[in-house]
Amino acid sequence: MVHYLRYHQLRKGGESIKDEESQNLDLDCTNSGYYKRTKPKLSYILFLVLLSFSFVLAPLFFGSSSNLSLLYSPGTKDGSTMAKEDVKAAVCSSVSNGTICCDRSGYRSDICIMKGDIRTHSDSSSIFLYNSRSSKNLINYVSRTVGGIEREEAEELQHEKIKPYTRKWETSIMDTIGELNLVSLKVNSGTDHVCDVYHDAPAVFFSTGGYTGNVYHEFNDGIVPLYITSQHLNKKVVFVILEYHNWWITKYGDVLSQLSDFPAIDFSGDKRKHCFPEAIVGLRIHDELTVDSTLMEGNKNIVDFRNVLDRAYWPRIRGLIQDEQREAKEKWRRELSSSSPSSEKPDSHCIGKHLQENEWKKPRLAILSRSGSRAITNENLLIGMAEEIGFKVEVLKPDKTTELAKTYRALNASDVMIGVHGAAMTHFLFLRPGSVFIQVVPLGTTWAAETYYGEPARKLGLEYIGYEIDPRESSLYDKYEKDDPVLRDPRSVNKKGWEYTKKIYLDSQNVRLNLRRFRKRLLRAYQHTLSMSNPRLQAQ
């Protein structure tokens, strides 16, 4: 996993962490306060009356309530401040036709919403919103030709800039993300604008740049936020992608087909002018590999996201199964023809029954094997012990070229998954709720393992078992003195910065499991699997 500590190191930097989501709201509260009085004075009562009238009359002077909500953060019935998710929901909750609303309150990402006559202009990295209505809030005349409109024909109403990627706090990576100009223009009525492709559905603009190429970031920073942002549109949405990669489309095409009925658009590569009635620029993100149901329409959660993966991959999985059964039947026919009279024909029903025989006799255990750093050096002994306990073991080594449907198939059919902390643990999303996820936690990765995979796994409904290794189980034990902070106090090393964590604990550490100690976790997983399985398995 890449730069996994930076965000949370920043969050721990001050006392304002709890309110991080609302730190950038433009609310002027410098003159507010509470004053203790034994008896209310006449002037105080008059002040309250005037204040009440001001809220009633404010919309008449400052516009509609939707505009007011961008600046005003109401309180709850008991007088306390509204919860941060309620404040966030109020921002851009209602957008008038012909306007742009940007919510920059989130620590992780910005998101802008546009509504009206929307046109893309990739050469200038711009999205234009044409507005022929009168407005009192004109900023200035456009000083150049934009989107085919001459200066004297268009006036700029609003200009926003946004980088549609979900690691807003991380300057180094955000510098690599393309920036979009969102420009609202007032044009003369009846002006004819060329539209190469008109879409009836709204658009969602986002980037697949940054850390794309790492499976954790592909899901956490991209696929899950894309689901969060677009699922309420019921597939009637067009995805427009910055930093477009053909391999990404191929890899996640099955998932995209469950979120949109339309092909994705390469914003920079497709020079045609695409027109939309609405647009969402940027993606919403809740937390690590999760979906917060309190912020979702219909209270959707991470299980609903996993159901999307299920629908995405099963058509392909069924095809793989059919291919394998066909090959197995052909092989069996050849074997029978070589050893039996030519008149003897294999019964296809019996063949199918034979192929599925013993399918549920043993719980399935998948080991996500690593090569290089954080590898389990006595993996063969682990496999032998698991088989002795009663598991049917499969070793998986997914990499960037592995078809996700094949990995999904293997893990979806597994009762237990074991792996050492790292990006590949993202595949816990492929396990069925109720399955067991055992994460081997190397030295120096305790907090990250729990935050990025342990807690999200429990939210998915998995039985999570974290196995924190003893210093003697780490290859670092042979490299450092026994009282060295690297072994004795990993937290102090992590505090020195990401570079130390990465160099020592992520890139230079392997694991040799204490099998006697680890056996207890396997037995616990085995018993849990028996309790969750069908009665036939319990009777074995």
Side-chain angles (χ1 to χ4, degrees):
M1 184 168 47
V2 182
H3 290 25
Y4 69 94
L5 289 176
R6 289 186 175 179
Y7 166 60
H8 293 278
Q9 285 175 335
L10 289 171
R11 292 184 67 187
K12 292 181 178 181
E15 294 297 322
S16 60
I17 293 172
K18 294 181 180 179
D19 295 322
E20 64 168 15
E21 298 289 87
S22 59
Q23 291 302 301
N24 296 326
L25 281 176
D26 296 323
L27 304 178
D28 185 3
C29 301
T30 55
N31 295 323
S32 63
Y34 293 94
Y35 299 90
K36 184 176 181 180
R37 297 181 184 274
T38 56
K39 295 181 181 180
K41 293 184 179 181
L42 179 60
S43 60
Y44 180 67
I45 295 174
L46 289 174
F47 169 75
L48 291 178
V49 172
L50 290 172
L51 183 62
S52 299
F53 273 110
S54 68
F55 288 125
V56 173
L57 297 175
L60 299 178
F61 294 98
F62 299 107
S64 66
S65 59
S66 63
N67 292 331
L68 184 62
S69 68
L70 301 180
L71 301 175
Y72 174 54
S73 178
T76 59
K77 291 181 180 180
D78 63 0
S80 62
T81 303
M82 180 182 283
K84 70 179 182 179
E85 58 265 24
D86 295 328
V87 174
K88 194 162 186 175
V91 177
C92 298
S93 61
S94 178
V95 180
S96 301
N97 195 58
T99 61
I100 304 172
C101 176
C102 290
D103 177 3
R104 303 187 187 276
S105 62
Y107 193 88
R108 294 170 178 256
S109 67
D110 291 334
I111 188 166
C112 294
I113 299 176
M114 308 171 73
K115 188 174 182 179
D117 185 4
I118 299 167
R119 316 282 175 121
T120 62
H121 194 257
S122 59
D123 285 339
S124 61
S125 298
S126 300
I127 308 172
F128 292 104
L129 175 60
Y130 294 134
N131 191 338
S132 60
R133 297 183 304 170
S134 61
S135 175
K136 297 180 181 180
N137 299 317
L138 300 183
I139 299 175
N140 58 280
Y141 284 94
V142 177
S143 59
R144 63 190 184 284
T145 299
V146 287
I149 305 297
E150 295 296 336
R151 184 174 78 173
E152 62 272 12
E153 296 180 5
E155 294 172 302
E156 188 173 297
L157 307 177
Q158 187 178 357
H159 192 152
E160 302 284 348
K161 292 180 179 292
I162 183 173
K163 294 185 175 185
Y165 189 62
T166 55
R167 300 189 77 81
K168 172 182 170 182
W169 78 92
E170 196 168 349
T171 304
S172 60
I173 201 64
M174 291 302 288
D175 286 343
T176 69
I177 303 299
E179 186 173 60
L180 287 173
N181 297 289
L182 313 183
V183 185
S184 176
L185 298 173
K186 181 185 178 185
V187 298
N188 296 332
S189 298
T191 302
D192 185 24
H193 306 304
V194 176
C195 181
D196 297 318
V197 184
Y198 182 80
H199 303 270
D200 291 329
V204 171
F205 292 77
F206 65 98
S207 172
T208 55
Y211 292 129
T212 298
N214 174 290
V215 68
Y216 162 79
H217 289 287
E218 286 169 7
F219 274 92
N220 186 70
D221 304 340
I223 298 297
V224 176
L226 187 61
Y227 168 78
I228 291 171
T229 306
S230 67
Q231 62 83 32
H232 69 284
L233 297 171
N234 298 315
K235 300 177 67 175
K236 304 305 178 185
V237 58
V238 179
F239 297 141
V240 186
I241 304 175
L242 283 74
E243 283 85 40
Y244 182 100
H245 303 287
N246 287 320
W247 66 262
W248 187 89
I249 295 293
T250 300
K251 184 175 183 178
Y252 293 105
D254 292 335
V255 179
L256 295 181
S257 69
Q258 295 300 313
L259 299 179
S260 171
D261 285 334
F262 310 98
I265 297 172
D266 178 358
F267 179 77
S268 299
D270 190 338
K271 301 301 182 181
R272 294 176 298 174
K273 185 176 294 183
H274 292 267
C275 304
F276 303 94
E278 297 182 49
I280 301 173
V281 187
L283 300 178
R284 297 192 185 280
I285 180 171
H286 293 162
D287 208 338
E288 308 303 326
L289 294 173
T290 196
V291 178
D292 187 341
S293 62
T294 65
L295 301 177
M296 296 290 289
E297 184 178 304
N299 295 319
K300 297 289 181 66
N301 57 33
I302 191 63
V303 176
D304 294 295
F305 170 77
R306 190 199 175 277
N307 291 339
V308 169
L309 299 182
D310 211 48
R311 293 193 298 270
Y313 293 127
W314 263 106
R316 171 61 176 153
I317 292 172
R318 278 191 287 269
L320 292 171
I321 294 174
Q322 291 171 359
D323 290 343
E324 291 171 1
Q325 290 178 341
R326 189 181 305 110
E327 291 175 3
K329 289 177 181 178
E330 289 298 324
K331 181 179 179 181
W332 200 357
R333 287 191 181 99
R334 288 194 298 269
E335 292 175 352
L336 287 174
S337 63
S338 62
S339 59
S340 304
S342 58
S343 59
E344 189 174 330
K345 301 286 184 181
D347 185 275
S348 61
H349 175 72
C350 292
I351 295 174
K353 185 177 180 180
H354 174 78
L355 291 171
Q356 297 178 24
E357 190 177 2
N358 298 328
E359 183 72 14
W360 291 102
K361 280 192 175 181
K362 292 184 178 181
R364 292 171 175 262
L365 183 150
I367 297 176
L368 291 186
S369 182
R370 293 183 63 97
S371 57
S373 66
R374 284 165 285 153
I376 298 176
T377 57
N378 57 344
E379 188 175 274
N380 288 338
L381 295 177
L382 170 63
I383 294 171
M385 183 175 70
E387 291 176 339
E388 178 190 338
I389 289 173
F391 285 107
K392 178 180 175 60
V393 180
E394 181 177 8
V395 178
L396 305 176
K397 294 185 178 182
D399 57 30
K400 293 180 181 180
T401 63
T402 304
E403 185 180 355
L404 283 180
K406 293 182 179 179
T407 305
Y408 188 90
R409 177 191 178 186
L411 292 176
N412 183 69
S414 298
D415 301 290
V416 182
M417 182 183 95
I418 296 176
V420 182
H421 171 69
M425 295 303 93
T426 305
H427 292 105
F428 78 79
L429 292 168
F430 294 2
L431 293 169
R432 302 185 314 277
S435 302
V436 182
F437 170 29
I438 303 177
Q439 181 178 201
V440 177
V441 183
L443 296 181
T445 67
T446 302
W447 177 87
E450 167 63 20
T451 301
Y452 291 94
Y453 303 111
E455 183 179 351
R458 284 189 285 268
K459 290 178 180 178
L460 183 60
L462 302 180
E463 177 72 12
Y464 174 71
I465 301 174
Y467 179 80
E468 296 184 25
I469 70 169
D470 183 89
R472 292 178 181 271
E473 295 175 88
S474 172
S475 61
L476 299 175
Y477 191 77
D478 298 325
K479 298 179 182 179
Y480 294 88
E481 296 294 331
K482 306 308 177 275
D483 60 348
D484 193 291
V486 168
L487 301 176
R488 182 176 49 83
D489 187 15
R491 287 187 179 184
S492 66
V493 178
N494 286 333
K495 287 180 179 179
K496 293 181 179 181
W498 159 252
E499 292 76 12
Y500 286 88
T501 299
K502 184 178 187 299
K503 180 180 178 181
I504 296 174
Y505 296 120
L506 299 183
D507 294 344
S508 304
Q509 179 177 198
N510 287 325
V511 174
R512 183 173 181 82
L513 292 174
N514 180 334
L515 295 181
R516 184 175 181 181
R517 180 170 173 247
F518 192 77
R519 184 184 181 89
K520 297 177 182 179
R521 273 69 173 183
L522 276 185
L523 288 172
R524 174 180 162 187
Y526 186 79
Q527 292 300 323
H528 176 83
T529 300
L530 290 180
S531 68
M532 294 293 291
S533 63
N534 60 59
R536 288 185 303 162
L537 183 56
Q538 296 184 49
Q540 296 293 324

